[in-house]
Amino acid sequence: MTVHRQAAVGFQRTAELYERSRPGYPARLVRWLVERTGIGPDRIVVDLAAGTGKLTRLLYDTGATVIAVEPVAAMLGVLRTATAGRVPAVAATAQALPFAARCVDAITVAQAFHWFATPDALGEMARVLRPDGHIALVWNRRLLDDPLQAELSTILDPYRGDTPSHHDDRWRQVIDNGRLMVADDRFEVENVQALDIDGLVERVTSTSFIASLPDDARRRVEARVRGLEDRFGPAPVVRYRCEAHLLTPSG
């Protein structure tokens, strides 16, 4: 299985932090997904790169048959615990899905498509999708013009390197150039996360390229984030725009 090194190392180290500190997904987003894709009873949904199952659990509540796919062992372990074993969960990547052709009604990818936005992965997703199926790409995008998020970017960006990001939108080129899927619709809604300062530190250190730093460098990052309490108080509000992009087979 091919997993980007930063994801493999960082998320293996911080799966529990990820579960505690990352934002969930608004109910309005789930309602939109249900309305636009028909997700619900008698539908099969693959939640790809499911992480700790933050979206998985919301999809399960629709009554759909949900299968979680996640390649990082620690993340998969947290997901299985969080879902109490109710959701089938398999270790696999987008490039090699363990499903027959045209057997899935919908594929969801939350906070992850930028990690594996390649023609091979998109082709494999298209292979298992039914002709009338949908792919939903979901992100909680940090609002970089928000003062707190801008300060966090100042701390984070020197360590980012070549780590894939949804912000650069390179993933769009894979969809446009591949011609397998068509961008059919888009939805966005504000998502606000209230944390204490410890939670904000955990949110930052759950970032893949921070989690994979040596201990001394990671501690320096933690200290800088903790220092933001002087400006933003002990209960900072972290603002995101939750957006979803709906894809359908091109023909």
Side-chain angles (χ1 to χ4, degrees):
M1 294 189 295
T2 302
V3 181
H4 192 284
R5 180 187 177 279
Q6 294 282 34
V9 174
F11 294 140
Q12 181 67 22
R13 288 180 178 176
T14 60
E16 295 284 353
L17 286 185
Y18 193 104
E19 172 63 16
R20 288 199 302 268
S21 66
R22 290 296 183 106
Y25 299 96
R28 284 179 59 190
L29 169 78
V30 178
R31 288 197 298 269
W32 182 83
L33 289 175
V34 168
E35 290 168 2
R36 290 293 286 109
T37 69
I39 289 174
D42 301 321
R43 298 285 180 150
I44 299 173
V45 182
V46 169
D47 191 25
L48 181 56
T52 64
K54 287 182 174 286
L55 183 60
T56 311
R57 284 164 262 172
L58 301 176
L59 297 172
Y60 176 82
D61 288 343
T62 69
T65 297
V66 181
I67 304 168
V69 175
E70 170 56 46
V72 178
M75 300 285 264
L76 195 61
V78 173
L79 183 151
R80 285 172 170 153
T81 299
T83 60
R86 294 187 300 268
V87 176
V90 297
T93 64
Q95 298 91 343
L97 294 173
F99 307 116
R102 299 189 172 192
C103 70
V104 172
D105 295 294
I107 298 172
T108 56
V109 187
Q111 216 68 25
F113 185 63
H114 54 283
W115 285 109
F116 50 84
T118 64
D120 287 347
L122 191 63
E124 181 70 346
M125 293 161 71
R127 179 187 70 82
V128 304
L129 194 68
R130 289 179 175 147
D132 59 348
H134 301 82
I135 296 174
L137 308 178
V138 179
W139 281 279
N140 280 312
R141 282 186 178 249
R142 295 172 51 226
L143 292 176
L144 301 183
D145 56 353
D146 175 78
L148 174 59
Q149 292 283 22
E151 290 288 346
L152 292 176
S153 290
T154 299
I155 295 170
L156 290 167
D157 287 352
Y159 300 98
R160 181 177 295 279
D162 63 354
T163 303
S165 170
H166 56 289
H167 281 289
D168 63 23
D169 288 341
R170 293 178 188 174
W171 55 271
R172 295 178 188 272
Q173 298 173 21
V174 174
I175 296 167
D176 294 341
N177 295 339
R179 300 182 181 180
L180 292 171
M181 306 296 299
V182 176
D184 187 48
D185 204 354
R186 171 178 171 157
F187 176 83
E188 62 180 53
V189 61
E190 184 182 30
N191 197 14
V192 176
Q193 185 184 26
L195 296 170
D196 60 18
I197 199 65
D198 291 332
L200 184 63
V201 171
E202 289 190 340
R203 167 64 186 88
V204 169
T205 53
S206 76
T207 305
S208 61
F209 56 87
I210 301 300
S212 59
L213 288 173
D215 290 347
D216 57 343
R218 193 168 62 253
R219 282 193 291 267
R220 287 195 295 271
V221 171
E222 291 174 2
R224 290 189 65 188
V225 175
R226 201 169 293 282
L228 297 177
E229 184 175 4
D230 293 340
R231 180 175 174 189
F232 296 99
V237 174
V238 188
R239 300 185 182 280
Y240 302 86
R241 181 180 70 243
C242 184
E243 61 181 48
H245 301 263
L246 197 66
L247 312 180
T248 54
S250 60

